[in-house]
Amino acid sequence: MNYYSTNGNATIADLHKAVVKGLAEDRGLYMPEEIKILPKVFFGNIHEMSFQQIAYNVASAFFGEDVDLDALQDIVYDTLAFDCPVVKVKENIYALELFHGPTLAFKDVGARFMARLLQYFIRMEGKGEQVNVLVATSGDTGSAVANGFLGVDGIHVYVLYPKGKVSPIQECQFTTLGQNITAIEVDGVFDDCQALVKSAFMDAELNQHMKLTSANSINVARFLPQAFYYFNAYARMKALDKADELVMCVPSGNFGNICSALFGHQMGLPIKRFIASNNANDVFFNYLLTGKYSPKPSIQTLANAMDVGDPSNFARIINLYSQNKKLTDEATHHRITNLISGATYKDEEIKQTMRQCYEENGYILDPHGACGYQALVDSLQPGEVGVFCETAHPAKFKEKVDDILGIDVEIPARLRAFMEGEKQNVPMTKHFEDFKQYLLKQ
Ligand SMILES: *Cc1c(COP(=O)(O)O)cnc(C)c1O
């Protein structure tokens, strides 16, 4: 399969190149040239298949031309060695719990998949050259990527995170690992971290010095595998006979997760409509309303993994629905608003939702999942059944959840283990020159 750039000024890449480069040379995002439609019989039988079996079918459609099928199956089965259940929260509203992976975050899937795919390509190449992964995180990405890549030989990971803006538990998950993982604490906000990473990829001298790649949600190997979740959600809902008018609601920040769901939809996944739910960072919401995209600096909120003011994957969504710029902006906007609606919630509303859901249903939402749940409560129509992604285990935001609900959320053993490790990081300014000098010394 070939991959082209959303900016249209880069050479076509194969999967290997798209994964190693992450971002195309014109700063665009890679898109597969073809999206395969899966056969009707697959959807007919899907509710009888396991998460791993479903994912292997989807993965074959994406990557089957480029990866040996036995190896691909091994990568998929290794990546998805955990459950992804739908849990009934109230009548017609279900939580798709994406947090049963190693760091209790939905990003575990993309991170592990990418680590194993990159390892596969490095081995195929047989040169033994070290690959360096740079990743900017507002919290969850860093821990998922660090753990997905931990101990994978031939790859070193640098995690850049904004000082004082990730929860203590999240911080432990990437600062205590050691081995091939280095945590870099940037004196700035998430967008500064992202800018440092983007500049590094564009810097000729640095790229001469070391082989760099990204593991942000822009990487095709990270964002596409997230589509597995949505096929699984459909299967589990179909098994309950609740899949006829399915509304899928995705709490969104950089829009990688929902973008993968939209790819699934293009492959024939029968979902009636989507909701992209936001916290106070409402850039996409405003695009839906006005047809104009106006990025802004991010605002810090309770749902901090969604504090993004210029979502990277917006370009992919536009590209998908404009059929790679064949349609006008108006026609594209029209297609998007026909399928996707938006929602935006301020911190006070998120708190209110968490309290109300806990009181009424006994279900503990984390602040991100709360945005998803509330958007369904606010917009579900008669006959529709809603599934929202619960994107993180509430214990990952324990201080906030305990405080808001007045409870003591139990910390799963897996999380507790991270908190016992020793924290190590490299302090860094938000100026690219400093970051560059540091990398040149590695
Ligand atoms: C990353 C993340 C999101 C946002 O996902 P995107 O793919 O960036 O839209 C939502 N919730 C949690 C808990 C996250 O970690």
Side-chain angles (χ1 to χ4, degrees), residues 106-107 140-141 217 226 251-258 305-306 366 368 391-392 397:
F106 80 82
K107 295 182 181 77
D140 263 12
T141 304
S217 56
Q226 296 173 157
S252 296
N254 245 329
F255 281 71
N257 199 9
I258 194 168
M306 290 156 50
D366 95 292
H368 307 79
T391 47
F397 301 91

Side-chain angles (χ1 to χ4, degrees), residues 257-325:
N257 199 9
I258 194 168
C259 194
S260 76
L262 297 171
F263 271 72
H265 186 251
Q266 294 290 102
M267 294 166 87
L269 184 64
I271 290 180
K272 183 185 170 193
R273 63 185 182 92
F274 293 86
I275 306 174
S277 194
N278 288 138
N279 57 27
N281 292 278
D282 57 1
V283 174
F284 187 78
F285 181 80
N286 288 332
Y287 165 77
L288 292 174
L289 285 183
T290 64
K292 289 199 184 61
Y293 180 66
S294 318
K296 314 189 253 202
S298 61
I299 308 167
Q300 209 183 327
T301 77
L302 271 177
N304 69 2
M306 290 156 50
D307 292 350
V308 183
D310 185 5
S312 312
N313 287 288
F314 182 75
R316 277 204 175 102
I317 297 177
I318 293 297
N319 195 276
L320 198 58
Y321 292 100
S322 69
Q323 295 167 344
N324 193 15
K325 305 191 181 74

Side-chain angles (χ1 to χ4, degrees), residues 340-393:
I340 313 169
S341 60
T344 170
Y345 298 104
K346 298 203 162 57
D347 280 358
E348 268 318 306
E349 296 170 297
I350 292 175
K351 287 184 191 169
Q352 180 65 24
T353 295
M354 288 169 67
R355 289 192 196 106
Q356 207 161 352
C357 181
Y358 184 59
E359 272 163 32
E360 286 173 8
N361 315 305
Y363 190 85
I364 304 173
L365 292 164
D366 95 292
H368 307 79
C371 295
Y373 170 80
Q374 189 62 43
L376 287 175
V377 169
D378 289 344
S379 84
L380 216 55
Q381 301 297 308
E384 292 179 339
V385 174
V387 176
F388 69 96
C389 296
E390 180 40 289
T391 47
H393 192 292

